[in-house]
Amino acid sequence: MSIAAETRRPPRPRADALRNRERIVSAAREMFVEFGPEVPLDEIARRAGIGNATLYRHFPDRAVLIREVVLLVLSRTTEQADAAAAEEADPFAALRRFVHVAADERIGALCPMLSGAFDTDHPDLHAGRERLDMAVRGLVEAAQAAGRMRTDVAVGDLMVALSQLTRPLPGTACPNMDRFVHRHLQLFLDGLEAPARSELPGTAATLEDLRTT
């Protein structure tokens, strides 16, 4: 490669700039869960331990920051699904592990972030959703194929329940309900195991159903 081509390469971000970006995204994720996506950006900067100018240098507006947080949650949750599938011999144990870890990632907090004028069709978000959908679909199909999971449910049923049971109530005076999340998720998981103990009303929810509602 020529020297001229080398000089045209954009400079790599400095290590301190990367650390600041990670701190901003981490603080934003925490505060979006606690207070909702409309939390003041200067409060996020304060929790991250950086100045407002630094925050805006990395994220010029709220929508860009929210998208980065959503991508982080999608990526981390996908990684957990892949790890559960690779490391658990029992496919239902893999599904159970994923559900509890996804709760700790606060995946339910994505719901309020995706409302309003948020661009849900951004290419990066589409790719992130596809990777997560594929990973979770693999967990469900493996558990069903092994006869460990009832077959009258679909991936959409799992994601709806997971989102509802882990969705926080930002900025409310309600008591802290976090300590009940894993207990209630375990009750839900018990209902997914085969053999089924009841007949479910309606039809299974697919991921395609969720995208059209």
Short mmCIF file of all heavy atoms in Angstrom, two decimals, residues 125-160:
data_model
loop_
_atom_site.label_atom_id
_atom_site.label_comp_id
_atom_site.label_asym_id
_atom_site.label_seq_id
_atom_site.Cartn_x
_atom_site.Cartn_y
_atom_site.Cartn_z
N LEU A 125 -29.63 -1.59 13.51
CA LEU A 125 -30.64 -2.18 14.38
C LEU A 125 -31.26 -3.41 13.73
O LEU A 125 -31.51 -4.43 14.39
CB LEU A 125 -31.73 -1.15 14.71
CG LEU A 125 -31.32 -0.03 15.64
CD1 LEU A 125 -32.41 1.02 15.71
CD2 LEU A 125 -31.03 -0.57 17.03
N HIS A 126 -31.52 -3.32 12.44
CA HIS A 126 -32.08 -4.46 11.73
C HIS A 126 -31.14 -5.66 11.83
O HIS A 126 -31.57 -6.78 12.12
CB HIS A 126 -32.32 -4.10 10.26
CG HIS A 126 -32.90 -5.22 9.45
ND1 HIS A 126 -34.21 -5.62 9.57
CD2 HIS A 126 -32.33 -6.04 8.53
CE1 HIS A 126 -34.43 -6.64 8.75
NE2 HIS A 126 -33.30 -6.91 8.11
N ALA A 127 -29.85 -5.43 11.62
CA ALA A 127 -28.88 -6.52 11.70
C ALA A 127 -28.79 -7.08 13.11
O ALA A 127 -28.70 -8.30 13.31
CB ALA A 127 -27.51 -6.02 11.24
N GLY A 128 -28.83 -6.20 14.12
CA GLY A 128 -28.79 -6.65 15.50
C GLY A 128 -29.99 -7.48 15.88
O GLY A 128 -29.86 -8.51 16.57
N ARG A 129 -31.17 -7.06 15.44
CA ARG A 129 -32.38 -7.83 15.72
C ARG A 129 -32.32 -9.19 15.04
O ARG A 129 -32.74 -10.20 15.62
CB ARG A 129 -33.61 -7.06 15.25
CG ARG A 129 -34.02 -5.91 16.15
CD ARG A 129 -35.43 -5.45 15.83
NE ARG A 129 -35.59 -5.08 14.42
CZ ARG A 129 -35.48 -3.85 13.96
NH1 ARG A 129 -35.22 -2.86 14.80
NH2 ARG A 129 -35.64 -3.58 12.68
N GLU A 130 -31.84 -9.22 13.80
CA GLU A 130 -31.77 -10.49 13.07
C GLU A 130 -30.85 -11.48 13.78
O GLU A 130 -31.16 -12.67 13.87
CB GLU A 130 -31.29 -10.24 11.64
CG GLU A 130 -32.33 -9.58 10.74
CD GLU A 130 -33.55 -10.45 10.54
OE1 GLU A 130 -33.41 -11.69 10.38
OE2 GLU A 130 -34.67 -9.90 10.55
N ARG A 131 -29.73 -10.99 14.27
CA ARG A 131 -28.79 -11.88 14.96
C ARG A 131 -29.42 -12.43 16.24
O ARG A 131 -29.29 -13.62 16.55
CB ARG A 131 -27.49 -11.15 15.27
CG ARG A 131 -26.61 -10.92 14.05
CD ARG A 131 -25.22 -10.44 14.46
NE ARG A 131 -25.26 -9.11 15.06
CZ ARG A 131 -25.13 -7.99 14.38
NH1 ARG A 131 -24.97 -8.01 13.06
NH2 ARG A 131 -25.14 -6.82 15.00
N LEU A 132 -30.10 -11.56 17.00
CA LEU A 132 -30.75 -12.02 18.22
C LEU A 132 -31.88 -12.99 17.90
O LEU A 132 -32.02 -14.04 18.55
CB LEU A 132 -31.27 -10.83 19.03
CG LEU A 132 -32.02 -11.19 20.32
CD1 LEU A 132 -31.13 -11.98 21.26
CD2 LEU A 132 -32.54 -9.92 21.00
N ASP A 133 -32.70 -12.66 16.91
CA ASP A 133 -33.80 -13.54 16.53
C ASP A 133 -33.29 -14.93 16.18
O ASP A 133 -33.86 -15.95 16.59
CB ASP A 133 -34.56 -12.95 15.33
CG ASP A 133 -35.35 -11.70 15.68
OD1 ASP A 133 -35.42 -11.37 16.87
OD2 ASP A 133 -35.85 -11.04 14.75
N MET A 134 -32.22 -14.99 15.40
CA MET A 134 -31.67 -16.27 14.97
C MET A 134 -31.16 -17.07 16.17
O MET A 134 -31.38 -18.29 16.26
CB MET A 134 -30.54 -16.05 13.97
CG MET A 134 -29.98 -17.33 13.38
SD MET A 134 -28.69 -17.00 12.13
CE MET A 134 -29.67 -16.06 10.94
N ALA A 135 -30.49 -16.39 17.09
CA ALA A 135 -29.94 -17.08 18.26
C ALA A 135 -31.04 -17.64 19.15
O ALA A 135 -30.97 -18.79 19.61
CB ALA A 135 -29.04 -16.13 19.06
N VAL A 136 -32.09 -16.84 19.40
CA VAL A 136 -33.18 -17.29 20.27
C VAL A 136 -34.00 -18.37 19.57
O VAL A 136 -34.42 -19.35 20.20
CB VAL A 136 -34.07 -16.11 20.69
CG1 VAL A 136 -35.20 -16.59 21.58
CG2 VAL A 136 -33.24 -15.06 21.42
N ARG A 137 -34.21 -18.21 18.27
CA ARG A 137 -34.94 -19.24 17.53
C ARG A 137 -34.21 -20.59 17.64
O ARG A 137 -34.83 -21.64 17.80
CB ARG A 137 -35.08 -18.84 16.06
CG ARG A 137 -36.06 -19.70 15.28
CD ARG A 137 -35.98 -19.41 13.79
NE ARG A 137 -36.22 -18.01 13.47
CZ ARG A 137 -37.43 -17.50 13.28
NH1 ARG A 137 -38.49 -18.28 13.38
NH2 ARG A 137 -37.57 -16.23 12.98
N GLY A 138 -32.88 -20.55 17.57
CA GLY A 138 -32.11 -21.77 17.69
C GLY A 138 -32.30 -22.44 19.05
O GLY A 138 -32.41 -23.67 19.13
N LEU A 139 -32.35 -21.64 20.11
CA LEU A 139 -32.58 -22.19 21.45
C LEU A 139 -33.95 -22.86 21.56
O LEU A 139 -34.08 -23.97 22.09
CB LEU A 139 -32.47 -21.09 22.50
CG LEU A 139 -31.08 -20.49 22.76
CD1 LEU A 139 -31.19 -19.29 23.70
CD2 LEU A 139 -30.15 -21.54 23.36
N VAL A 140 -34.97 -22.17 21.06
CA VAL A 140 -36.33 -22.70 21.14
C VAL A 140 -36.47 -23.97 20.31
O VAL A 140 -37.01 -24.99 20.78
CB VAL A 140 -37.34 -21.64 20.68
CG1 VAL A 140 -38.74 -22.25 20.51
CG2 VAL A 140 -37.39 -20.48 21.68
N GLU A 141 -35.98 -23.94 19.09
CA GLU A 141 -36.13 -25.11 18.21
C GLU A 141 -35.36 -26.31 18.76
O GLU A 141 -35.84 -27.46 18.65
CB GLU A 141 -35.66 -24.75 16.80
CG GLU A 141 -36.60 -23.77 16.10
CD GLU A 141 -36.11 -23.37 14.72
OE1 GLU A 141 -34.95 -23.72 14.38
OE2 GLU A 141 -36.88 -22.73 13.98
N ALA A 142 -34.21 -26.09 19.35
CA ALA A 142 -33.43 -27.20 19.92
C ALA A 142 -34.17 -27.81 21.11
O ALA A 142 -34.23 -29.04 21.25
CB ALA A 142 -32.05 -26.71 20.35
N ALA A 143 -34.75 -26.97 21.96
CA ALA A 143 -35.48 -27.49 23.12
C ALA A 143 -36.73 -28.25 22.68
O ALA A 143 -37.07 -29.29 23.27
CB ALA A 143 -35.85 -26.34 24.05
N GLN A 144 -37.40 -27.76 21.67
CA GLN A 144 -38.60 -28.45 21.17
C GLN A 144 -38.23 -29.76 20.48
O GLN A 144 -38.91 -30.78 20.66
CB GLN A 144 -39.38 -27.53 20.24
CG GLN A 144 -40.04 -26.36 20.96
CD GLN A 144 -40.73 -25.39 20.03
OE1 GLN A 144 -40.30 -25.20 18.88
NE2 GLN A 144 -41.78 -24.75 20.50
N ALA A 145 -37.17 -29.76 19.70
CA ALA A 145 -36.75 -30.97 18.99
C ALA A 145 -36.33 -32.07 19.97
O ALA A 145 -36.50 -33.26 19.68
CB ALA A 145 -35.59 -30.65 18.05
N ALA A 146 -35.82 -31.67 21.12
CA ALA A 146 -35.41 -32.64 22.13
C ALA A 146 -36.57 -33.12 22.99
O ALA A 146 -36.38 -33.95 23.88
CB ALA A 146 -34.32 -32.03 23.02
N GLY A 147 -37.77 -32.59 22.74
CA GLY A 147 -38.93 -32.96 23.53
C GLY A 147 -38.96 -32.35 24.91
O GLY A 147 -39.70 -32.80 25.79
N ARG A 148 -38.15 -31.31 25.12
CA ARG A 148 -38.06 -30.67 26.44
C ARG A 148 -38.95 -29.45 26.57
O ARG A 148 -39.13 -28.94 27.67
CB ARG A 148 -36.60 -30.26 26.69
CG ARG A 148 -35.64 -31.42 26.80
CD ARG A 148 -35.75 -32.08 28.16
NE ARG A 148 -35.11 -31.24 29.17
CZ ARG A 148 -35.76 -30.63 30.17
NH1 ARG A 148 -37.06 -30.74 30.28
NH2 ARG A 148 -35.09 -29.89 31.04
N MET A 149 -39.50 -28.97 25.45
CA MET A 149 -40.30 -27.76 25.48
C MET A 149 -41.59 -27.99 24.71
O MET A 149 -41.58 -28.63 23.65
CB MET A 149 -39.52 -26.59 24.86
CG MET A 149 -40.25 -25.27 24.82
SD MET A 149 -39.17 -23.98 24.13
CE MET A 149 -40.33 -22.60 24.07
N ARG A 150 -42.68 -27.50 25.25
CA ARG A 150 -43.96 -27.67 24.57
C ARG A 150 -43.91 -27.05 23.17
O ARG A 150 -43.24 -26.04 22.97
CB ARG A 150 -45.10 -27.09 25.41
CG ARG A 150 -44.98 -25.63 25.73
CD ARG A 150 -45.98 -25.17 26.78
NE ARG A 150 -47.36 -25.39 26.36
CZ ARG A 150 -48.41 -25.35 27.20
NH1 ARG A 150 -48.23 -25.11 28.50
NH2 ARG A 150 -49.63 -25.54 26.75
N THR A 151 -44.62 -27.65 22.25
CA THR A 151 -44.51 -27.24 20.85
C THR A 151 -45.62 -26.29 20.41
O THR A 151 -45.65 -25.87 19.25
CB THR A 151 -44.54 -28.48 19.93
OG1 THR A 151 -45.74 -29.22 20.18
CG2 THR A 151 -43.32 -29.36 20.19
N ASP A 152 -46.53 -25.93 21.32
CA ASP A 152 -47.60 -25.02 20.94
C ASP A 152 -47.25 -23.57 21.25
O ASP A 152 -48.12 -22.71 21.33
CB ASP A 152 -48.92 -25.40 21.62
CG ASP A 152 -48.81 -25.47 23.14
OD1 ASP A 152 -47.67 -25.42 23.66
OD2 ASP A 152 -49.86 -25.59 23.81
N VAL A 153 -45.97 -23.29 21.46
CA VAL A 153 -45.49 -21.91 21.64
C VAL A 153 -44.41 -21.64 20.60
O VAL A 153 -43.83 -22.58 20.03
CB VAL A 153 -44.93 -21.68 23.06
CG1 VAL A 153 -46.01 -21.83 24.11
CG2 VAL A 153 -43.77 -22.61 23.35
N ALA A 154 -44.15 -20.38 20.36
CA ALA A 154 -43.14 -19.98 19.39
C ALA A 154 -42.22 -18.93 20.00
O ALA A 154 -42.41 -18.49 21.14
CB ALA A 154 -43.80 -19.44 18.11
N VAL A 155 -41.23 -18.52 19.23
CA VAL A 155 -40.23 -17.58 19.74
C VAL A 155 -40.90 -16.28 20.19
O VAL A 155 -40.49 -15.67 21.19
CB VAL A 155 -39.18 -17.29 18.65
CG1 VAL A 155 -38.11 -16.35 19.18
CG2 VAL A 155 -38.55 -18.58 18.17
N GLY A 156 -41.93 -15.85 19.46
CA GLY A 156 -42.60 -14.62 19.84
C GLY A 156 -43.22 -14.68 21.23
O GLY A 156 -43.20 -13.70 21.98
N ASP A 157 -43.78 -15.85 21.60
CA ASP A 157 -44.33 -16.01 22.94
C ASP A 157 -43.25 -15.79 24.00
O ASP A 157 -43.48 -15.12 25.02
CB ASP A 157 -44.92 -17.42 23.11
CG ASP A 157 -46.12 -17.66 22.23
OD1 ASP A 157 -47.07 -16.86 22.30
OD2 ASP A 157 -46.13 -18.65 21.48
N LEU A 158 -42.08 -16.36 23.74
CA LEU A 158 -40.98 -16.22 24.69
C LEU A 158 -40.56 -14.77 24.82
O LEU A 158 -40.39 -14.25 25.94
CB LEU A 158 -39.80 -17.07 24.22
CG LEU A 158 -38.53 -16.96 25.06
CD1 LEU A 158 -38.74 -17.60 26.42
CD2 LEU A 158 -37.36 -17.62 24.35
N MET A 159 -40.42 -14.07 23.69
CA MET A 159 -39.94 -12.69 23.74
C MET A 159 -40.95 -11.74 24.35
O MET A 159 -40.58 -10.80 25.05
CB MET A 159 -39.56 -12.24 22.33
CG MET A 159 -38.43 -13.06 21.70
SD MET A 159 -36.95 -13.21 22.74
CE MET A 159 -36.33 -11.52 22.66
N VAL A 160 -42.25 -11.99 24.10
CA VAL A 160 -43.29 -11.15 24.72
C VAL A 160 -43.24 -11.29 26.24
O VAL A 160 -43.23 -10.30 26.98
CB VAL A 160 -44.68 -11.53 24.19
CG1 VAL A 160 -45.77 -10.90 25.05
CG2 VAL A 160 -44.85 -11.06 22.75
#
